[in-house]
Amino acid sequence: MPAMNVTQRRCLYIPQNVKLPPGIKPFAYVSHHHGNSRSRCQHTTASTETSREQQLQQREHLTRAEEVPDRPAPRSPFNTGSMSITTAGATQSLCGHDLPAEKTIVIVRHGLTTWNEQSRIQGTADDPDITPYGEEQAVRVRNALSRMHIDSLFSSPLKRARTTSEIIWQGREGSCIYTESLKEAPLGWLEGMTNADAAKKDPEQFEIWRKDPAKFSFDGRYPLLEVYDKAKEAWKEILEAPGSSHLVITHKSMARAFLCTALALPPTSFRSLDMNNGGVSIFRVNKRGEPMLTNMNLTAHEHYDGVFY
């Protein structure tokens, strides 16, 4: 058995079918602190339950002490309270001025499309449709967000995002806003091609798009730089909207840029983040307009019923 560090406390559980050396008992609780050795045997269930209750009370006290006035108490393990204190100065303001209240921004990538299934590059093309599975993903997102208050929805106007938005927004009140700033990155000659065909047509440019997308260009345009600029515009537009909670439906590249601009990640970090079809990411933005990413690319709702964010 490895030696214990004298500054650590450990609770050792020994299964009954394991033969113990002389002098060692099951459920031995060993405590060493500043050279004073103490030992307790038979650490009871009652004391464990008392400890858990104390931890829960302490957690509730700390959470409530941190809450912003007029904000609801935590709703789920995925939303644990206010963050005005914990994120102050962690990031730059996304709107350049103070907000009247803290905001929650929920970002969702549209459901699976026919082109996703075929491994075709979509870009701004509006031909791909949502598949039946993509519709099911949207329904599951709607269910997962059903306990969350949302004031308005912002969506890309492209068909795949619009269809996803309509499914998720069923049964809710509030504005449903389609904005050009949430459209997917324009990808020129790549749009409509499978990845395999694009790699054959222009191996050099395709490799640049895959490995160094900030340098990819067509017709004098740099799609990644454009999508970064649009993401910044979208953040300002959404944070200026009335209400404290907003839902955003967009595309993979746009979602990546949305996250990167919030986290002050440069275009070279673009592919360090991913977003699945139907994936959910959540930001909390304090009154200074500074964002904190609390959850990224949540997908448990796609595999299990009864998951709520």
Side-chain angles (χ1 to χ4, degrees):
M1 184 179 295
M4 284 190 179
N5 187 311
V6 296
T7 62
Q8 291 180 334
R9 294 185 177 189
R10 298 183 184 180
C11 185
L12 307 177
Y13 171 73
I14 312 297
Q16 292 182 354
N17 60 348
V18 174
K19 297 187 67 174
L20 301 176
I24 301 296
K25 299 180 181 181
F27 299 96
Y29 179 82
V30 182
S31 176
H32 293 278
H33 182 66
H34 297 299
N36 297 322
S37 176
R38 302 188 302 274
S39 64
R40 300 175 187 175
C41 298
Q42 304 300 328
H43 195 54
T44 64
T45 303
S47 62
T48 302
E49 292 299 328
T50 301
S51 176
R52 288 177 182 170
E53 184 177 348
Q54 289 173 346
Q55 289 176 1
L56 290 172
Q57 289 175 351
Q58 183 181 22
R59 183 181 301 173
E60 181 180 4
H61 171 74
L62 291 174
T63 301
R64 292 188 180 280
E66 219 183 38
E67 283 184 3
V68 172
D70 303 322
R71 291 286 296 172
R75 292 183 293 270
S76 77
F78 301 95
N79 187 354
T80 55
S82 171
M83 38 63 77
S84 285
I85 298 173
T86 56
T87 62
T91 52
Q92 294 183 347
S93 174
L94 293 171
C95 55
H97 59 79
D98 288 348
L99 299 171
E102 175 183 311
K103 286 180 177 276
T104 298
I105 310 297
V106 182
I107 305 159
V108 177
R109 183 186 173 194
H110 63 74
L112 188 76
T113 70
T114 51
W115 284 18
N116 288 144
E117 286 186 324
Q118 299 164 13
S119 191
R120 291 187 183 277
I121 301 168
Q122 297 179 118
T124 55
D126 209 12
D127 298 317
D129 293 309
I130 293 288
T131 65
Y133 183 71
E135 293 177 354
E136 181 184 345
Q137 287 177 316
V139 170
R140 286 186 166 273
V141 172
R142 182 181 68 204
N143 294 339
L145 300 179
S146 62
R147 297 184 181 181
M148 184 181 291
H149 170 76
I150 301 176
D151 294 296
S152 58
L153 178 147
F154 290 81
S155 172
S156 161
L158 295 179
K159 182 169 54 178
R160 55 193 184 272
R162 183 184 289 267
T163 301
T164 303
S165 299
E166 291 171 351
I167 294 172
I168 294 175
W169 203 240
Q170 284 178 11
R172 288 189 182 267
E173 298 180 354
S175 302
C176 187
I177 302 161
Y178 297 98
T179 174
E180 294 288 317
S181 62
L182 291 174
K183 285 179 70 173
E184 182 61 301
L187 294 176
W189 64 271
L190 287 172
E191 293 183 1
M193 301 191 72
T194 64
N195 285 290
D197 289 342
K200 292 177 182 178
K201 180 176 180 179
D202 194 331
E204 182 179 355
Q205 283 298 308
F206 181 74
E207 186 173 7
I208 291 174
W209 168 242
R210 297 302 303 173
K211 295 185 178 180
D212 195 359
K215 295 181 180 179
F216 174 77
S217 66
F218 69 93
D219 298 335
R221 301 175 66 179
Y222 288 82
L224 188 54
L225 302 184
E226 289 185 18
V227 83
Y228 259 62
D229 289 339
K230 288 200 304 178
K232 294 174 183 177
E233 293 176 11
W235 268 115
K236 291 180 180 178
E237 181 180 359
I238 293 163
L239 292 178
E240 295 288 349
S244 62
S245 184
H246 309 287
L247 176 60
V248 176
I249 311 296
T250 188
H251 311 267
K252 186 172 188 175
S253 292
M254 186 62 211
R256 281 173 161 170
F258 209 71
L259 270 65
C260 284
T261 53
L263 300 175
L265 295 176
T268 51
S269 299
F270 173 74
R271 294 201 185 277
S272 65
L273 306 176
D274 203 3
M275 195 75 166
N276 290 41
N277 292 107
V280 176
S281 296
I282 303 174
F283 276 94
R284 302 214 309 272
V285 183
N286 66 18
K287 291 182 180 181
R288 299 184 186 188
E290 300 165 340
M292 179 175 73
L293 179 62
T294 59
N295 303 101
M296 180 179 166
N297 198 25
L298 298 169
T299 57
H301 59 278
E302 295 188 10
H303 309 286
Y304 303 97
D305 297 330
V307 175
F308 303 101
Y309 302 136

